[in-house]
């Protein structure tokens, strides 16, 4: 990805625009972080929303159980927790980009063949 | 007691069970110290500073995963969290729910980029990353001071937790009781020391010696290896406890239905009475079970069949120690809780004090949930202090933010993200930690909801419900020796946090203060000696600070963890992902988060008269810390000079060979 680099020295003459490649590790990390925030938000909406609707001020006479726990706990917390594990594993192994460590012990922009683009 | 070792382990009876548990615990402790010795040998073969503070950036999947998980799981997880579950019920599943996404957020959000920047700059501490990122000594110094300040509070809470765990484990052992008596006699004439409880003091010193020794001796690698061991102990311990607990209560469904019938106890005060004046001082310990005098039937809608009768006698449990003076027949008013239902287990007759009755003088029922069935199986959960209950929906949302992003902002977690070997390690570790947390936190909710049925009246000292439950379920299963390993789980959690934080504080002082600012040309030998000395001294200072411990363990932990995250999450995130941010903006971000945090605690103290945070608009204070930090960071950045083009290019543009400092 090519981004134009503009002057950042205040008070000085503007530098000519020259194309510079953005660090691929930075690019991939930034993209992955965006998706991680989305995942967090999705599960937050499920857990908080469902618990608010079904978990507050439950009448003990009306209490229902699922697998031995209050149903609102099962559907509002246990089930999304299981799914969060699935999503985390899939995200880690199938989406996050793998970068090689180069001979200078740095994480380089080079990706491995097995890593998704 | 049998002379054979297996017989010794299988010895029945209270004292025998405690001895067996102590042996198991001792085996675990021995393994920890052995790992430190091996780690120290590795230390000798490599560059001291890099190896001591960062394990030479060579952590593999299991090491990264378990050191991350074990460091995050502290005394709060295994003492404070069970305490809250026991007190407030199933709603704690909602309180902790953010842990389902904590691994991917805390490790994935910053991990890859932080590791890259740390390698590029050769940084081995968090302040060093920030200092090198902006080429500013001031940034590094501010970061160092904040870490040392908040970490110290965290250390205090963990040392107290470690001592509490040992106290519970050892309390029935005669040798321990003799040592406690000796300590009590010894410290009696010594000012300040004589204010400490002798059992607590003895366990504090024992715990501190063990942790300080292996941390000082082995450094980061010892910390990581012991974290791996402790991670297995914690995970295994919880799963074993889950199995034993469900067997004891007859299944989860049965337990939940009974929990739905339970009502919260009534806190209050009572005068304890004996029939005849005492010939000598009568000491009544905290946690004593006593029958209350029948109270006049003051029900506004009385049952006609009970007209003129008194309400049946109930049980109370003392929440503090007290005495009846010689020649007197009653004590001063003492804090108690009154048990309000008979659904759960009742204390055995032999544990109810004979010849002693309680005359209740005052009752302060729970502000939410008093006398109501069903509060332990629904939100917001009962609460003695808040009218809106334990967990309002706004607070639940706040905690969903706090746990995940609070962990992301912890410098102790950031250091681990700087230490992994390669990005494949990071990906595998994220998946591993995710599964690991599922096996720990949700089962803890189940175990300690069930604990209400098994251990009544633990509200008087709920921080001890974990070791008490471990002892109880293993004794009930005929495996008292297992208690030592189960109690090792919270102990492991505390140790794994203390060693990490101890190392963080010492690395900040040695590397970021001494080596960078006072003596940049310090030899490796000098650094080594200084590191050992500082690590030990910090530990000793923390011990001295908790000899007379603060009362609110969990509050201290939350103060420190949320303070650290409030100071570091936004500045570090911006440093890694925003070109425009500069040194002044980073400093402003750190101080803005810190200032907001301290302000909320000051207001909390002024309004409630105790060490607590003010929850402005009912929102978890961490949110306000982040807002304060972000506003300050962005504002100061935009009002000051842009960073140099070369600096931006170094960290954001694809470049050739690295440019590490010498």
């Amino acid at each position: 990805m090519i981004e134009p680099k503009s002057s950042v020295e205040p008070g000085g003459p503007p530098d000519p625009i020259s194309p510079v490649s953005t660090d691929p590790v930075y690019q991939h990390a930034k993209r992955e972080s965006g998706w991680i925030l989305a995942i967090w938000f999705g599960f937050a909406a499920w857990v908080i929303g469902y618990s608010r609707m079904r978990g507050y001020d439950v009448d003990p006479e009306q209490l229902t159980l699922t697998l031995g726990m209050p149903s609102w706990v099962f559907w509002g917390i246990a089930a999304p927790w299981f799914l969060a594990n699935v999503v985390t594993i899939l995200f880690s192994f199938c989406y996050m980009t793998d970068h090689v460590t180069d001979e200078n012990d740095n994480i380089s922009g080079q990706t491995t063949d097995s890593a998704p683009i | 007691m049998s002379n054979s070792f297996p017989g010794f382990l299988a010895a029945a009876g209270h004292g025998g069970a405690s001895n067996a548990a102590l042996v198991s615990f001792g085996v675990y402790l021995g393994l920890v110290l052995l790992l430190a010795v091996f780690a120290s040998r590795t230390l000798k073969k490599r560059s001291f500073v890099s190896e001591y503070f960062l394990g030479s950036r060579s952590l593999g999947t299991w090491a990264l995963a378990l050191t991350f998980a074990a460091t995050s799981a502290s005394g709060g997880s295994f003492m404070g969290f069970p305490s809250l579950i026991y007190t407030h019920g199933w709603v704690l599943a909602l309180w902790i729910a953010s842990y389902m996404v904590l691994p991917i957020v805390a490790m994935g959000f910053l991990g890859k980029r932080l590791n890259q920047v740390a390698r590029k700059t050769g940084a081995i501490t968090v302040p060093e990353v920030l200092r090198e990122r902006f080429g500013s000594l001031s940034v590094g110094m501010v970061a160092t001071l904040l870490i040392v300040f908040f970490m110290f509070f965290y250390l205090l809470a963990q040392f107290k937790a470690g001592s509490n765990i040992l106290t519970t484990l050892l309390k029935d052992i005669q040798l321990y009781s003799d040592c406690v008596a000796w300590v009590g006699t010894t410290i009696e004439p010594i000012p300040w020391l004589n204010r400490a409880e002798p059992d607590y003091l003895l366990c504090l010193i024992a715990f501190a010696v063990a942790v300080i020794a292996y941390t000082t001796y082995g450094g980061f690698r010892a910390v990581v290896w012991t974290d791996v061991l402790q991670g297995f102990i914690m995970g295994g311990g919880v799963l074993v406890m889950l199995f034993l607990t469900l067997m004891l209560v007859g299944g989860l469904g049965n337990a939940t239905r009974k929990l739905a019938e339970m009502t919260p106890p009534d806190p209050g005060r009572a005068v304890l009475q004996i029939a005849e004046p005492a010939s000598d001082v009568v000491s009544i310990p905290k946690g004593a079970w006593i029958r209350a005098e029948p109270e006049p039937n003051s029900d506004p809608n009385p049952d006609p069949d009970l007209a003129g009768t008194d309400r049946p006698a109930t049980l109370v449990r003392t929440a503090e120690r007290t005495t009846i003076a010689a020649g007197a027949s009653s004590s001063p008013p003492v804090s108690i809780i009154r048990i309000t239902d008979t659904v759960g287990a009742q204390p055995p007759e032999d544990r109810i004090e004979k010849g002693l009755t309680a005359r209740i003088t005052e009752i302060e029922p729970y502000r939410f949930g008093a006398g109501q069935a069903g509060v332990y199986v629904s939100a917001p959960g009962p609460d003695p202090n808040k009218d809106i209950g334990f967990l309002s929906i706004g607070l639940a949302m706040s905690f969903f933010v706090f746990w995940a992003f609070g962990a992301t902002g912890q410098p102790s977690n950031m250091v681990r993200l700087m230490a992994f070997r390669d990005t494949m390690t990071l990906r595998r570790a994220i998946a591993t930690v995710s599964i690991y947390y599922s096996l720990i936190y949700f089962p803890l909710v189940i175990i300690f909801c069930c604990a209400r049925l098994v251990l009544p009246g633990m509200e008087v000292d709920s921080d001890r419900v974990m070791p008490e439950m471990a002892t109880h379920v293993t004794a009930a299963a005929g495996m008292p020796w297992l208690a030592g390993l189960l109690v090792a789980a919270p102990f492991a959690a505390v140790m794994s946090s203390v060693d990490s934080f101890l190392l963080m504080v010492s690395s900040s002082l040695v590397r970021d203060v001494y080596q960078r600012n006072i003596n940049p040309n310090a030899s490796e030998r000098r650094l080594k000696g200084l590191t050992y000395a500082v690590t030990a001294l910090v530990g000793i200072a923390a011990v001295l600070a908790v000899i007379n411990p603060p009362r609110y363990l969990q509050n201290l932990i939350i103060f420190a963890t949320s303070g650290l995250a409030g100071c570091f999450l936004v500045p570090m995130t911006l440093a890694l992902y925003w070109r425009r941010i500069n040194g002044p903006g980073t400093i402003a971000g750190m101080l803005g988060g810190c200032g907001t945090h301290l302000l909320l605690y000051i207001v909390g103290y002024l309004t409630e008269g105790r060490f607590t945070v003010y929850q402005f608009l009912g929102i978890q204070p961490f949110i306000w810390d982040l807002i304060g930090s972000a506003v300050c960071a962005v504002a100061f950045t935009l009002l000051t000079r842009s960073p140099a083009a070369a600096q931006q290019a170094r960290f954001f543009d694809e470049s050739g060979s690295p440019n590490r400092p010498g």
Side-chain angles (χ1 to χ4, degrees):
Chain A
M1 177 176 163
I2 307 294
E3 285 183 351
K5 174 181 147 184
S6 57
S7 170
V8 292
E9 300 288 352
D15 291 339
I17 301 290
S18 58
V20 173
S21 298
T22 304
D23 185 327
V25 178
Y26 159 66
Q27 281 181 263
H28 288 134
K30 195 169 155 188
R31 184 190 64 199
E32 289 159 10
S33 297
W35 278 108
I36 287 170
L37 287 179
I39 290 169
W40 173 85
F41 184 80
F43 281 101
W46 178 350
V47 169
I48 301 299
Y50 192 94
S51 299
R52 179 63 189 94
M53 284 193 308
R54 299 294 173 90
Y56 278 74
D57 302 317
V58 173
D59 182 350
E61 305 287 330
Q62 312 273 340
L63 179 70
T64 57
L65 304 188
T66 305
L67 293 183
M69 63 188 83
S71 293
W72 70 271
V73 174
F74 180 82
W75 293 111
I77 297 156
W81 202 313
F82 176 78
L83 187 63
N85 281 348
V86 173
V87 168
T88 296
I89 292 168
L90 288 175
F91 186 87
S92 301
F93 285 114
C94 302
Y95 185 78
M96 285 181 75
T97 310
D98 204 12
H99 296 270
V100 298
T101 305
D102 64 24
E103 66 278 5
N104 294 310
D105 200 30
N106 280 295
I107 293 180
S108 77
Q110 183 183 353
T111 58
T112 64
D113 291 340
S114 59
I117 302 297
Chain B
M1 186 180 298
S2 167
N3 289 327
S4 69
F5 187 66
F8 172 76
L9 286 180
H14 220 42
S18 294
N19 284 332
L22 183 61
V23 168
S24 312
F25 189 79
V27 168
Y28 157 74
L29 212 55
L31 279 174
V32 167
L33 294 173
L34 204 59
L35 284 174
V37 171
F38 285 132
S40 178
R41 289 187 183 172
T42 308
L43 193 55
K44 290 178 171 57
K45 300 174 190 168
R46 305 188 184 189
S47 158
F48 175 79
V49 172
S50 174
E51 173 63 23
Y52 190 89
F53 290 129
L54 208 59
S56 304
R57 297 185 215 277
S58 61
L59 293 191
T61 300
W62 280 105
L64 176 63
L66 290 180
T67 189
F68 185 94
T71 299
S72 296
S74 70
S77 302
F78 281 82
M79 300 283 279
F81 182 47
S83 165
L84 290 174
I85 299 167
Y86 180 92
T87 307
H88 303 290
W90 273 105
V91 73
L92 265 294
L94 178 58
W95 190 79
I96 204 72
S98 185
Y99 269 69
M100 69 177 71
V101 286
L102 189 150
I104 194 170
V105 173
M107 300 175 80
F109 189 65
L110 297 182
K112 186 187 292 185
R113 182 69 173 141
L114 179 57
N115 192 280
Q116 180 202 30
V117 171
R119 286 172 185 271
K120 194 171 276 205
T121 58
I124 59 174
T125 66
V126 169
E128 200 168 355
V129 170
L130 293 174
R131 183 183 55 244
E132 295 299 321
R133 167 70 176 84
F134 301 105
S136 167
L137 287 175
S138 303
V139 173
M141 184 58 68
V142 170
T144 299
L145 292 175
L146 290 172
I147 285 175
V148 171
F149 174 72
F150 282 110
M151 281 292 187
F152 197 69
F153 280 95
Y154 205 122
L155 272 177
L156 302 190
Q158 299 305 315
F159 272 112
K160 183 189 173 189
S163 177
N164 280 345
I165 293 168
L166 269 186
T167 306
T168 302
L169 181 69
L170 302 173
K171 65 182 178 182
D172 295 317
I173 298 176
Q174 188 56 47
L175 176 61
Y176 169 74
S177 302
D178 294 341
C179 290
V180 168
W182 177 82
V183 169
T185 309
T186 304
I187 65 174
E188 183 58 37
I190 305 173
W192 178 62
L193 265 186
N194 58 13
R195 287 164 47 198
E197 294 287 338
D199 57 346
Y200 168 80
L201 183 63
L202 178 63
C203 292
L204 177 66
I205 291 170
F207 171 71
V209 166
V211 172
I212 293 170
Y214 84 74
T215 304
T216 303
Y217 190 55
F220 186 84
R221 199 170 286 276
V223 165
V224 170
W225 285 358
T226 53
D227 282 353
V228 173
L229 170 66
Q230 286 152 359
F232 280 114
I233 294 287
M234 289 192 289
V238 169
L239 293 178
V240 169
M241 266 192 81
L242 176 67
F243 176 71
L244 294 177
T245 300
L246 291 178
M247 281 182 51
L248 189 61
V249 299
L252 183 58
N254 180 51
T256 304
R257 277 185 221 98
K258 285 190 177 173
L259 203 60
E261 298 171 29
M262 296 184 86
T263 53
D266 289 330
R269 296 184 74 75
V271 170
L272 307 183
Q273 301 173 136
I274 50 178
E276 300 287 332
S279 56
D280 199 352
V281 172
V282 177
S283 181
I284 302 153
K286 178 180 178 179
W289 285 102
I290 302 166
R291 290 196 200 283
E293 288 181 349
E295 297 169 73
N297 197 340
S298 57
D299 189 336
N301 298 304
D303 184 337
D305 292 335
L306 294 176
T309 67
D310 293 332
R311 187 180 299 170
T314 54
L315 283 175
V316 303
R317 197 171 190 193
T318 54
E320 56 187 350
R321 286 180 63 185
T322 190
T323 54
I324 298 176
S329 58
S330 65
S331 73
V334 64
S335 295
I336 54 104
I337 59 167
R338 180 176 68 186
I339 305 301
T340 58
D341 65 65
T342 55
V343 176
Q346 300 297 298
E349 270 304 312
D350 60 355
R351 292 203 60 193
I352 301 176
E353 299 290 334
K354 302 292 183 291
L356 199 59
T357 57
R359 178 168 54 83
I360 296 173
T361 58
E362 183 187 346
I363 288 291
E364 291 178 22
Y366 273 32
R367 298 270 290 269
F368 184 94
Q372 294 178 30
V375 289
Y376 289 110
V377 295
S378 67
D383 198 289
N385 302 312
K386 295 191 292 187
D387 294 329
I388 56 173
F390 173 70
L391 190 70
S392 64
I393 194 64
L395 202 56
M397 182 69 218
S398 301
F399 272 103
F400 207 92
V401 175
F402 173 60
W403 293 126
F405 291 98
T408 309
Q410 295 301 310
S412 53
N413 289 338
M414 290 182 187
V415 163
R416 275 144 183 80
L417 296 176
M418 291 159 57
F420 62 77
R421 179 186 307 157
D422 50 40
T423 52
M424 174 58 80
T425 300
L426 174 66
R427 300 198 286 143
R428 287 181 184 145
I430 290 173
T432 305
V433 175
S434 182
I435 297 169
Y436 182 80
Y437 278 164
S438 307
L439 297 178
I440 293 221
Y441 286 97
F442 201 84
L444 280 174
V445 176
I446 295 174
I447 291 166
F448 290 96
C449 282
C450 296
R452 286 206 68 82
L453 303 173
V454 172
L455 296 175
M458 284 299 296
E459 285 88 351
V460 300
D461 196 1
S462 56
D463 274 347
R464 291 198 174 171
V465 70
M466 169 61 169
E468 292 286 344
M469 188 66 175
T471 308
H472 189 89
V473 297
T474 52
M479 293 186 286
W481 57 269
L482 193 54
L485 287 179
L486 293 184
V487 170
F491 199 77
V494 174
M495 288 178 92
S496 65
S497 297
V498 169
D499 58 25
S500 303
F501 302 146
L502 203 52
L503 210 57
M504 277 224 70
V505 175
S506 77
S507 71
S508 294
L509 292 174
V510 173
R511 173 81 169 178
D512 300 315
V513 176
Y514 180 79
Q515 189 182 15
R516 289 296 178 178
N517 294 286
I518 298 174
N519 187 1
N521 299 317
S523 67
E524 185 160 297
R525 185 177 173 184
R526 176 179 284 266
L527 287 174
K528 187 188 285 191
L530 198 58
T531 299
Y532 288 151
V534 168
T535 305
L537 283 173
V538 170
I540 292 168
V543 168
L544 292 175
V546 289
I547 282 181
N548 288 300
R551 192 172 167 189
Y552 305 108
L553 179 78
Q554 193 64 15
N555 283 359
L556 267 183
I557 292 171
I558 291 175
F559 170 77
T561 52
S562 56
L564 281 168
C567 291
F568 286 96
L569 178 59
V570 170
M572 183 61 84
T573 302
L574 295 177
L576 296 175
Y577 291 112
W578 190 27
R579 285 176 178 267
R580 176 65 176 85
I581 192 166
N582 56 16
T586 302
I587 291 174
M590 289 191 283
L591 294 179
C594 179
T596 309
H597 193 68
L598 293 178
L599 178 65
L600 289 171
Y601 270 87
I602 291 170
V603 173
Y605 182 79
L606 292 174
T607 53
E608 299 207 27
R610 59 188 176 98
F611 182 67
T612 189
V613 68
Y614 178 65
Q615 292 183 354
F616 183 54
L617 300 181
I619 293 173
Q620 222 279 346
F622 171 67
I623 309 290
W624 298 116
D625 298 346
L626 289 185
I627 293 172
S629 179
V631 166
C632 290
V634 172
F636 271 78
T637 295
L638 295 178
L639 290 172
T640 48
R641 268 181 79 162
S642 299
Q647 189 186 53
Q648 291 189 45
R650 183 183 174 203
F651 293 106
F652 290 89
D653 296 333
E654 194 169 22
S655 59
S657 51
N659 186 19
R660 286 188 197 177

